[in-house]
PDB file of all heavy atoms in Angstrom:
ATOM      1  N   SER I  74     129.758  33.076  34.153  1.00 82.00           N
ATOM      2  CA  SER I  74     128.897  34.217  34.419  1.00 82.00           C
ATOM      3  C   SER I  74     127.932  34.464  33.303  1.00 82.00           C
ATOM      4  O   SER I  74     126.878  34.922  33.522  1.00 82.00           O
ATOM      5  CB  SER I  74     129.805  35.446  34.526  1.00 82.00           C
ATOM      6  OG  SER I  74     130.605  35.680  33.354  1.00 82.00           O
ATOM      7  N   ARG I  75     128.210  33.977  32.093  1.00 86.00           N
ATOM      8  CA  ARG I  75     127.361  34.123  30.954  1.00 86.00           C
ATOM      9  C   ARG I  75     126.069  33.235  31.180  1.00 86.00           C
ATOM     10  O   ARG I  75     124.965  33.640  30.935  1.00 86.00           O
ATOM     11  CB  ARG I  75     128.048  33.777  29.645  1.00 86.00           C
ATOM     12  CG  ARG I  75     127.051  33.975  28.451  1.00 86.00           C
ATOM     13  CD  ARG I  75     127.783  33.801  27.142  1.00 86.00           C
ATOM     14  NE  ARG I  75     126.806  33.898  26.076  1.00 86.00           N
ATOM     15  CZ  ARG I  75     127.020  33.314  24.964  1.00 86.00           C
ATOM     16  NH1 ARG I  75     128.123  32.575  24.692  1.00 86.00           N
ATOM     17  NH2 ARG I  75     126.113  33.491  23.923  1.00 86.00           N
ATOM     18  N   ALA I  76     126.334  32.003  31.633  1.00 84.00           N
ATOM     19  CA  ALA I  76     125.223  31.117  31.874  1.00 84.00           C
ATOM     20  C   ALA I  76     124.337  31.629  33.005  1.00 84.00           C
ATOM     21  O   ALA I  76     123.056  31.568  32.939  1.00 84.00           O
ATOM     22  CB  ALA I  76     125.749  29.709  32.206  1.00 84.00           C
ATOM     23  N   ARG I  77     124.922  32.229  34.029  1.00 81.00           N
ATOM     24  CA  ARG I  77     124.179  32.789  35.178  1.00 81.00           C
ATOM     25  C   ARG I  77     123.336  33.962  34.626  1.00 81.00           C
ATOM     26  O   ARG I  77     122.224  34.183  35.046  1.00 81.00           O
ATOM     27  CB  ARG I  77     125.034  33.080  36.287  1.00 81.00           C
ATOM     28  CG  ARG I  77     125.590  31.793  37.066  1.00 81.00           C
ATOM     29  CD  ARG I  77     126.197  32.120  38.373  1.00 81.00           C
ATOM     30  NE  ARG I  77     127.452  32.909  38.234  1.00 81.00           N
ATOM     31  CZ  ARG I  77     128.621  32.464  37.937  1.00 81.00           C
ATOM     32  NH1 ARG I  77     128.750  31.150  37.828  1.00 81.00           N
ATOM     33  NH2 ARG I  77     129.676  33.257  37.863  1.00 81.00           N
ATOM     34  N   GLN I  78     123.961  34.843  33.825  1.00 83.00           N
ATOM     35  CA  GLN I  78     123.245  35.981  33.232  1.00 83.00           C
ATOM     36  C   GLN I  78     122.071  35.500  32.452  1.00 83.00           C
ATOM     37  O   GLN I  78     120.956  36.153  32.449  1.00 83.00           O
ATOM     38  CB  GLN I  78     124.187  36.876  32.389  1.00 83.00           C
ATOM     39  CG  GLN I  78     125.133  37.744  33.153  1.00 83.00           C
ATOM     40  CD  GLN I  78     124.361  38.805  33.898  1.00 83.00           C
ATOM     41  OE1 GLN I  78     124.359  38.785  35.196  1.00 83.00           O
ATOM     42  NE2 GLN I  78     123.580  39.663  33.292  1.00 83.00           N
ATOM     43  N   ASN I  79     122.216  34.449  31.666  1.00 82.00           N
ATOM     44  CA  ASN I  79     121.075  33.889  30.907  1.00 82.00           C
ATOM     45  C   ASN I  79     119.918  33.427  31.689  1.00 82.00           C
ATOM     46  O   ASN I  79     118.802  33.527  31.195  1.00 82.00           O
ATOM     47  CB  ASN I  79     121.600  32.720  30.037  1.00 82.00           C
ATOM     48  CG  ASN I  79     122.505  33.167  28.920  1.00 82.00           C
ATOM     49  OD1 ASN I  79     122.496  34.325  28.429  1.00 82.00           O
ATOM     50  ND2 ASN I  79     123.285  32.213  28.349  1.00 82.00           N
ATOM     51  N   LEU I  80     120.075  33.151  32.954  1.00 84.00           N
ATOM     52  CA  LEU I  80     119.029  32.669  33.820  1.00 84.00           C
ATOM     53  C   LEU I  80     118.076  33.788  33.938  1.00 84.00           C
ATOM     54  O   LEU I  80     116.781  33.620  34.097  1.00 84.00           O
ATOM     55  CB  LEU I  80     119.508  32.346  35.084  1.00 84.00           C
ATOM     56  CG  LEU I  80     120.464  30.999  35.296  1.00 84.00           C
ATOM     57  CD1 LEU I  80     120.987  30.833  36.700  1.00 84.00           C
ATOM     58  CD2 LEU I  80     119.569  29.779  34.925  1.00 84.00           C
ATOM     59  N   LYS I  81     118.537  34.973  34.129  1.00 82.00           N
ATOM     60  CA  LYS I  81     117.656  36.144  34.227  1.00 82.00           C
ATOM     61  C   LYS I  81     117.412  37.081  33.045  1.00 82.00           C
ATOM     62  O   LYS I  81     116.866  38.104  33.126  1.00 82.00           O
ATOM     63  CB  LYS I  81     118.170  36.993  35.473  1.00 82.00           C
ATOM     64  CG  LYS I  81     119.546  37.600  35.279  1.00 82.00           C
ATOM     65  CD  LYS I  81     119.997  38.337  36.536  1.00 82.00           C
ATOM     66  CE  LYS I  81     121.394  38.930  36.333  1.00 82.00           C
ATOM     67  NZ  LYS I  81     121.872  39.607  37.427  1.00 82.00           N
ATOM     68  N   SER I  82     117.826  36.525  31.908  1.00 79.00           N
ATOM     69  CA  SER I  82     117.654  37.224  30.604  1.00 79.00           C
ATOM     70  C   SER I  82     116.154  37.189  30.267  1.00 79.00           C
ATOM     71  O   SER I  82     115.293  36.433  30.943  1.00 79.00           O
ATOM     72  CB  SER I  82     118.422  36.694  29.471  1.00 79.00           C
ATOM     73  OG  SER I  82     117.848  35.361  29.231  1.00 79.00           O
ATOM     74  N   MET I  83     115.743  37.978  29.298  1.00 83.00           N
ATOM     75  CA  MET I  83     114.324  38.137  28.840  1.00 83.00           C
ATOM     76  C   MET I  83     113.593  36.774  28.619  1.00 83.00           C
ATOM     77  O   MET I  83     112.515  36.511  28.976  1.00 83.00           O
ATOM     78  CB  MET I  83     114.251  38.983  27.606  1.00 83.00           C
ATOM     79  CG  MET I  83     112.754  39.445  27.371  1.00 83.00           C
ATOM     80  SD  MET I  83     112.717  40.714  26.166  1.00 83.00           S
ATOM     81  CE  MET I  83     113.017  39.920  24.690  1.00 83.00           C
ATOM     82  N   ASN I  84     114.434  35.793  28.087  1.00 84.00           N
ATOM     83  CA  ASN I  84     113.836  34.468  27.807  1.00 84.00           C
ATOM     84  C   ASN I  84     114.289  33.427  28.795  1.00 84.00           C
ATOM     85  O   ASN I  84     114.016  32.236  28.533  1.00 84.00           O
ATOM     86  CB  ASN I  84     114.153  34.054  26.344  1.00 84.00           C
ATOM     87  CG  ASN I  84     113.567  34.920  25.373  1.00 84.00           C
ATOM     88  OD1 ASN I  84     112.360  35.320  25.501  1.00 84.00           O
ATOM     89  ND2 ASN I  84     114.283  35.362  24.393  1.00 84.00           N
ATOM     90  N   GLY I  85     114.973  33.836  29.811  1.00 81.00           N
ATOM     91  CA  GLY I  85     115.550  32.824  30.869  1.00 81.00           C
ATOM     92  C   GLY I  85     114.514  32.351  31.808  1.00 81.00           C
ATOM     93  O   GLY I  85     113.454  32.880  31.906  1.00 81.00           O
TER      94      GLY I  85
END
Side-chain angles (χ1 to χ4, degrees):
S74 61
R75 184 173 176 208
R77 287 191 299 276
Q78 279 300 115
N79 288 341
L80 292 173
K81 57 185 181 178
S82 71
M83 190 166 73
N84 295 318

